[in-house]
């Protein structure tokens, strides 16, 4: 019988990242990939894969990156595009 301890909780991931905008935001703040990797407690190679869209970024990672890079709400939305949120926004606009 599985218990609550046996069930691994997976953090939601952001499926689409505007990789160019993320790289620009990082460079504008004079941060290296190693700086962001250290912030996230991952290797630089793993962060590079995340920044290039090869590995998904978790919501917690996106928030940490946004805070470190001093992103406002608009910039956050430009960099971290979440398909579910986009669909919900389109549905809202259609209903209005």
């Amino acid at each position: 019988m599985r218990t609550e301890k046996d069930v691994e909780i997976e953090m939601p991931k952001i499926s689409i990242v505007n990789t160019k905008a993320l790289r620009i935001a990082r460079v504008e703040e004079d941060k290296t990939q190693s700086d962001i990797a250290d912030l996230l407690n991952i290797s630089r190679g793993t962060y590079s894969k995340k920044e290039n869209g090869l590995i998904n970024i978790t919501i917690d990672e996106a928030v940490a990156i946004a805070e470190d890079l001093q992103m406002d709400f608009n910039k956050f939305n430009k960099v971290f595009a979440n398909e579910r949120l986009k669909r919900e926004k389109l549905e809202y606009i259609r209903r209005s």
Side-chain angles (χ1 to χ4, degrees), residues 27-87:
V27 171
E28 284 176 346
E29 292 296 319
D30 294 321
K31 301 282 184 168
T32 65
Q33 286 186 340
S34 293
D35 293 332
I36 303 301
D38 290 344
L39 171 76
L40 302 178
N41 200 28
I42 58 176
S43 72
R44 192 212 51 82
T46 298
Y47 176 73
S48 177
K49 289 177 183 175
K50 288 177 180 276
E51 186 176 272
N52 288 296
L54 301 174
I55 299 175
N56 288 335
I57 294 176
T58 68
I59 291 174
D60 286 345
E61 289 171 335
V63 170
I65 292 167
E67 288 175 351
D68 192 59
L69 299 181
Q70 301 176 10
M71 291 182 188
D72 62 16
F73 183 75
N74 290 329
K75 193 168 209 175
F76 181 88
N77 283 332
K78 181 179 178 184
V79 172
F80 299 107
N82 183 303
E83 283 301 302
R84 185 177 64 69
L85 293 176
K86 280 184 175 179
R87 285 192 302 272

